[in-house]
């Protein structure tokens, strides 16, 4: 025989229980439907992603800032008096959109930073958008300048105060000061980067000959095509920065160069202070 259980409770208790149950149901539904915003999602992956400018680009909406760091960066870029960086960013984004290839632009928007641009492709392998990230480079610790012992027939003399190693990416210069009053000059060695070595050896092989910027750019960056109308703005800036860095290693006074001389409107030339010899 069946049994029946009856619950006798005041009306206010019934209403309170139903309200609590309804509130719990609403809270669970909201939790299930809520999606974290992009800032929260990036922060959960790596907090550093919220401090790096992250941009999205397509040809319909243009540039979209994906975090507050990108918004601050684009605001500073718009307020800058020079339009070179703005033009370079637009040109790079459109080029990646058209070609569908990843581009890494070192030294943009200034020295010590790198712009990384990658396409987002659909299943049809057509580019649907572009992601761009600006990261800060961390310079390598400075190499100590050490005195070296003479090595016979391994140094190419470019001048009385400058020599380049015949095989290694190293130059050495003489410090122009006296030690203990006896007038002794000591050689000090400094390493060159791979690109600096390529540029210096090419200029040395063509010493006293003015080389155009296009020629030097093709020598140092053979995989980066040069258009028929000449170097693009970012290519000219990249070459100037490399010339500047090389002068810091080899020039007694980088602000008043005596070896690598600028031929205004044409290019650069290296003028040894004596006939190039191997010692």
């Amino acid at each position: 025989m069946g049994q029946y259980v009856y619950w006798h409770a005041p009306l206010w208790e019934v209403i309170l229980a139903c309200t609590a149950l309804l509130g719990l149901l609403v809270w669970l539904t909201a939790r299930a439907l809520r999606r974290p915003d992009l800032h929260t999602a990036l922060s959960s992956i790596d907090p550093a992603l919220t401090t790096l400018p992250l941009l999205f680009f397509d040809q319909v909406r243009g540039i979209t800032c994906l975090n507050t760091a990108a918004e601050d960066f684009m605001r500073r870029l718009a307020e800058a008096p020079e339009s070179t960086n703005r033009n370079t960013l637009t040109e790079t984004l459109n080029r990646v959109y058209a070609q569908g290839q990843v581009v890494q632009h070192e030294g943009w928007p200034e020295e010590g930073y790198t712009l990384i641009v990658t396409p987002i492709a659909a299943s049809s392998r057509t580019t649907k958008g572009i992601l761009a990230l600006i990261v800060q480079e961390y310079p390598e610790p400075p190499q100590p300048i050490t005195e070296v012992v003479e090595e016979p027939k391994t140094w190419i003399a470019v001048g009385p105060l400058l020599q380049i190693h015949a095989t290694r990416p190293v130059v050495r210069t003489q410090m122009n000061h006296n030690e203990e009053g006896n007038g002794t000059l000591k050689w000090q060695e400094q390493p060159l980067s791979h690109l600096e070595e390529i540029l210096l050896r090419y200029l040395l092989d063509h010493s006293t000959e003015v080389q155009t910027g296009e020629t030097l750019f093709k020598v140092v960056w053979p995989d980066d095509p040069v258009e028929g109308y000449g170097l693009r703005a970012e290519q000219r800036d990249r070459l100037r920065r490399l010339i500047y860095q090389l002068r810091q290693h080899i020039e007694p006074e980088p602000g008043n160069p005596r070896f690598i001389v600028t031929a205004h409107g044409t290019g650069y030339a290296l003028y040894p202070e004596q006939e190039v010899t191997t010692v």
Side-chain angles (χ1 to χ4, degrees):
M1 184 175 178
Q3 295 182 351
Y4 297 92
V5 178
Y6 295 94
W7 177 36
H8 299 279
L11 180 61
W12 67 270
E13 290 185 1
V14 175
I15 295 175
L16 180 61
C18 292
T19 302
L21 182 61
L22 181 61
L24 178 61
L25 181 62
V26 170
W27 181 79
L28 291 175
T29 303
R31 291 284 295 179
L33 296 178
R34 189 181 69 177
R35 295 181 178 179
D37 56 63
L38 184 59
H39 180 85
T40 303
L42 292 175
S43 179
S44 63
I45 297 173
D46 191 334
L49 291 177
T50 61
T51 63
L52 301 175
L54 184 61
L55 308 170
F56 178 81
F57 170 80
D58 62 29
Q59 293 185 329
V60 177
R61 290 169 293 185
I63 299 175
T64 302
C65 299
L66 299 183
N67 56 12
T68 54
E71 294 174 355
D72 294 339
F73 169 77
M74 292 302 296
R75 183 172 58 254
R76 294 195 303 270
L77 198 63
E79 294 172 353
E82 295 290 337
S83 61
T84 303
N85 279 337
R86 295 193 294 272
N87 295 339
T88 300
L89 177 61
T90 303
E91 177 186 333
T92 304
L93 292 175
N94 281 290
R95 177 156 56 93
V96 173
Y97 196 97
Q99 299 178 355
Q101 297 179 345
V102 178
V103 169
Q104 183 170 319
H105 193 337
E106 298 180 358
W108 192 93
E110 60 185 20
E111 195 68 29
Y113 290 84
T114 297
L115 171 66
I116 302 174
V117 186
T118 180
I120 301 175
S123 57
S124 59
R125 295 186 178 181
T126 58
T127 301
K128 294 297 183 181
I130 301 295
L131 274 180
L133 178 66
I134 301 170
V135 299
Q136 184 174 5
E137 303 171 356
Y138 293 95
E140 297 180 0
Q143 299 293 329
I145 300 177
T146 57
E147 296 183 5
V148 294
V149 180
E150 285 282 346
E151 298 179 14
K153 299 182 180 180
T154 55
W155 293 94
I156 301 173
V158 184
L161 303 180
L162 174 63
Q163 296 179 356
I164 179 173
H165 197 276
T167 57
R168 294 190 290 115
V170 177
V171 293
R172 63 180 185 179
T173 57
Q174 279 191 336
M175 294 301 294
N176 198 5
H177 66 273
N178 296 342
E179 181 180 10
E180 298 179 357
N182 57 11
T184 301
L185 296 177
K186 287 192 175 181
W187 289 104
Q188 291 188 335
E189 184 176 314
Q190 298 188 56
L192 296 176
S193 69
H194 178 63
L195 298 182
E196 292 168 350
E197 181 190 13
I198 292 175
L199 178 60
L200 179 56
R201 292 193 187 279
Y202 184 84
L203 288 172
L204 189 59
D205 291 340
H206 301 79
S207 59
T208 72
E209 300 176 9
V210 176
Q211 303 295 317
T212 65
E214 289 82 358
T215 299
L216 295 178
F217 189 90
K218 292 176 182 178
V219 169
V220 180
W221 292 282
D223 296 330
D224 193 344
V226 175
E227 305 295 341
Y229 55 80
L231 297 178
R232 300 190 302 272
E234 61 91 7
Q235 291 176 326
R236 288 195 301 272
D237 291 342
R238 204 187 316 169
L239 180 60
R240 290 194 192 102
R241 286 195 298 271
L242 185 60
I243 293 287
Y244 172 81
Q245 294 167 2
L246 181 56
R247 281 173 171 164
Q248 303 306 305
H249 293 301
I250 70 173
E251 297 286 358
E253 298 179 31
N256 184 27
R258 60 199 290 182
F259 293 111
I260 299 180
V261 179
T262 302
H264 295 287
T266 304
Y268 303 89
L270 185 141
Y271 290 97
E273 293 186 335
Q274 63 186 31
E275 183 179 355
V276 176
T277 58
T278 302
V279 294

